[in-house]
Amino acid sequence: MSSISSSATPSPAVQPVAIPWRALQPWLLFGAVLAIALLYFVGTEQGVFHLIGGSGVHEFVHDGRHLLGFPCH
């Protein structure tokens, strides 16, 4: 009969890496611009302030528009 030893060896704790604010700023700006563009296309494109003619964008974001509570008809 073999004996199994279960000696637990402590592992070093993982320390989080500090990300400098200057490294985060471009990504936060990119995320904010992307969110505003998405909100524009879901919320107001094909309305009074449309940039793209036709109904392609409207039909593409139609269900998302209703899900977020934007009226479209």
Side-chain angles (χ1 to χ4, degrees):
M1 184 174 222
S2 67
S3 65
I4 300 174
S5 67
S6 62
S7 63
T9 57
S11 61
V14 177
Q15 296 294 327
V17 177
I19 301 174
W21 175 247
R22 288 204 180 268
L24 281 178
Q25 283 178 342
W27 292 103
L28 293 173
L29 180 64
F30 173 71
V33 169
L34 189 64
I36 289 170
L38 182 65
L39 184 63
Y40 168 77
F41 278 109
V42 171
T44 60
E45 179 62 27
Q46 296 302 119
V48 176
F49 303 108
H50 70 279
L51 295 176
I52 301 171
S55 64
V57 174
H58 175 86
E59 295 303 324
F60 185 71
V61 297
H62 187 261
D63 293 335
R65 182 172 293 177
H66 286 297
L67 181 68
L68 294 174
F70 288 102
C72 67
H73 331 193

